[in-house]
Amino acid sequence: MKRTFAFILSLMMALSVLAVGLADEAAAGDEAEFVVPKVVPAKGMEDFTGEWFICRVVCEDGKVIGREEMIAEDNLPDSGVDITITEDRILLFDMDEDDGDPIIKPEYVPEDGTLKLVNGRDEPPVLRMNDNGMLSCFVQLSEKVQYTVYFARK
């Protein structure tokens, strides 16, 4: 349980550092290049399975931060894969697991075509399919810090 809680906190902190720390650095060209896709219901769990990488972060004020900027600005390693989704587990970044239960379990919600990241929180993060094939996840750290992370398939 301690490991799960520590991981959730580190993920939220990492995403907040990426988005907040780079918000002022986003170039005007990036904002014009990225068209925010529309959310559409996934047809099934199979739409989510696979390897994904963060390609953009869109801040509440509309600023767009690209992957290359995140990696360069924060000296992050580029593993190429940020999230791996299978039928029974979700691995974020290059996280290692025990031999025990998965830290994050996927829960497909057929009523709205979304995927919950069941991680022990009362309100787990939710991945949504987009009309351009990307996944998106809304992250709200506080009333003032909120953004949407977009993932593209590897």
Side-chain angles (χ1 to χ4, degrees):
M1 186 65 169
K2 287 181 182 178
R3 185 172 181 202
T4 302
F5 184 70
F7 171 73
I8 293 166
L9 286 177
S10 64
L11 172 63
M12 293 306 202
M13 288 175 61
L15 289 175
S16 68
V17 167
L18 291 175
V20 176
L22 296 174
D24 294 332
E25 301 294 325
D30 285 343
E31 292 177 26
E33 293 174 16
F34 184 69
V35 176
V36 175
K38 293 180 181 176
V39 173
V40 296
K43 296 175 186 163
M45 178 65 192
E46 64 278 359
D47 288 348
F48 293 100
T49 57
E51 296 179 332
W52 301 82
F53 65 93
I54 296 173
C55 61
R56 297 275 192 277
V57 173
V58 178
C59 302
E60 182 184 21
D61 64 4
K63 290 183 182 177
V64 177
I65 304 163
R67 181 178 184 80
E68 295 77 23
E69 291 174 89
M70 288 182 253
I71 292 168
E73 187 71 25
D74 290 329
N75 294 321
L76 299 173
D78 188 3
S79 65
V81 175
D82 296 317
I83 184 171
T84 301
I85 302 171
T86 66
E87 294 284 332
D88 62 347
R89 70 182 64 214
I90 297 175
L91 296 173
L92 299 174
F93 303 95
D94 57 355
M95 178 183 75
D96 291 326
E97 282 195 81
D98 297 325
D99 292 331
D101 292 333
I103 292 174
I104 302 173
K105 296 180 182 180
E107 182 181 307
Y108 177 68
V109 182
E111 294 80 20
D112 62 3
T114 61
L115 187 70
K116 286 184 183 179
L117 283 68
V118 179
N119 56 11
R121 296 180 69 189
D122 290 338
E123 293 185 39
V126 176
L127 288 172
R128 291 175 169 76
M129 184 59 61
N130 292 265
D131 63 355
N132 63 357
M134 290 182 174
L135 299 180
S136 59
C137 183
F138 179 73
V139 178
Q140 183 167 2
L141 297 177
S142 70
E143 288 184 28
K144 294 182 180 182
V145 180
Q146 49 193 356
Y147 47 89
T148 303
V149 180
Y150 289 91
F151 297 88
R153 192 177 291 277
K154 171 97 171 135

